[in-house]
Amino acid sequence: MQTFDLEAQGLRNLNAALQAQSKETNQTAWEIVNAKGSHAIAVGLDSPIEVNVKGSTGYYCAGMNKQATVHVHGSAGPGVAENMMSGTVIIEGDASQYAGATANGGTLIIKGNASSRCGISMKGVDIIVHGNVGHMSAFMAQSGNLVVCGDAGDALGDSIYEARLFVRGSVKSLGADCIEKEMRPEHIEILTDLLERGGCDAKPEEFKRYGSARKLYNFDIDNAY
C-alpha cells in the first residue's frame, strides 16, 4: 500500500505519480489521506490500480478514468467520473451535479444520493445510485444503464437516445421523449447483474424501466417548415 499525503505532497505530484503507473506496476494499491475536498483527484488514470481516497473530494474526481478502481470514502463534488472510459468509481457518500457525465464505459457506484443531471450524455457507462437522483438526470443519455434505487426528480431522461433507466421509487416527471417501457426477462437479467455489482439489496422486480419513445430524434417531414 502506497500512502500519499495530499496536503503535504500536493495534487500535481499525486496525479503525476498515479498516471505514471503502468499495467505491469507492482504499486497497485494507493491510499490518499488529507483529501479535504480537493479538486481533480486521481484524474486521467490508465492502469489497473486501486486508489482509496480517505475523505470527501471536490469537482472532477476520477475524471477520464481508464482501468483503475477509485474508491472515495466520503462524498464527491460536481463531475465525478466524467468522461470515464473503463474501470470502477465508488462513492460512499453523496455525489453532486452531473456525476458520470459523458462517460463511455466502466461502472460508477454512488451509495448515497446524486444531484441534478446524473448521467448527462452518458455513452455506455453503468451508473448505480443507492439513493435518489435530481432533476434532468440522464439528459441526452445515449447508451448504458442508470439504476436508481430511490426516487428521480423532474425531467428524467429528457431527450434520451438508447440508454436504459431503471427506477425503484417514484419519478417526479419524465422529460421529452422518455416513456415507461416493459420490463422483459432480458431487462431483469441485466438489472440483476447491475444490482449485484453495485452492492444493492433491492430486487429487480421492484423497478420500472424507462427509455426513448424514439420519436424525437427521427426525421418527420411534418415537422419541417
Side-chain angles (χ1 to χ4, degrees), residues 44-112:
L45 306 189
D46 191 11
S47 58
I49 61 175
E50 182 173 343
V51 180
N52 282 280
V53 183
K54 299 297 186 178
S56 296
T57 67
Y59 55 68
Y60 297 128
C61 176
M64 301 177 288
N65 186 58
K66 288 176 68 177
Q67 304 188 70
T69 297
V70 180
H71 196 153
V72 177
H73 298 266
S75 295
V80 62
E82 61 86 27
N83 204 34
M84 178 165 65
M85 305 302 288
S86 62
T88 303
V89 177
I90 304 166
I91 310 300
E92 288 291 335
D94 299 324
S96 190
Q97 303 176 76
Y98 41 91
T102 74
N104 285 259
T107 304
L108 170 60
I109 301 167
I110 300 168
K111 295 191 177 180

Side-chain angles (χ1 to χ4, degrees), residues 11 55 138 217:
L11 178 65
Y217 61 87

Side-chain angles (χ1 to χ4, degrees), residues 187-200:
H187 302 121
I188 293 292
E189 185 177 348
I190 290 169
L191 183 54
T192 299
D193 175 65
L194 290 166
L195 291 171
E196 183 176 343
R197 282 160 51 196
C200 307

Side-chain angles (χ1 to χ4, degrees), residues 76-160:
V80 62
E82 61 86 27
N83 204 34
M84 178 165 65
M85 305 302 288
S86 62
T88 303
V89 177
I90 304 166
I91 310 300
E92 288 291 335
D94 299 324
S96 190
Q97 303 176 76
Y98 41 91
T102 74
N104 285 259
T107 304
L108 170 60
I109 301 167
I110 300 168
K111 295 191 177 180
N113 302 309
S115 186
S116 61
R117 297 174 177 83
C118 178
I120 182 173
S121 195
M122 53 191 278
K123 297 178 175 69
V125 66
D126 292 327
I127 302 176
I128 303 150
V129 182
H130 286 216
N132 308 320
V133 297
H135 67 268
M136 297 287 291
S137 287
F139 173 53
M140 293 186 67
Q142 296 174 35
S143 64
N145 299 288
L146 171 62
V147 178
V148 182
C149 294
D151 302 327
D154 275 319
L156 176 71
D158 189 81
S159 304
I160 190 173

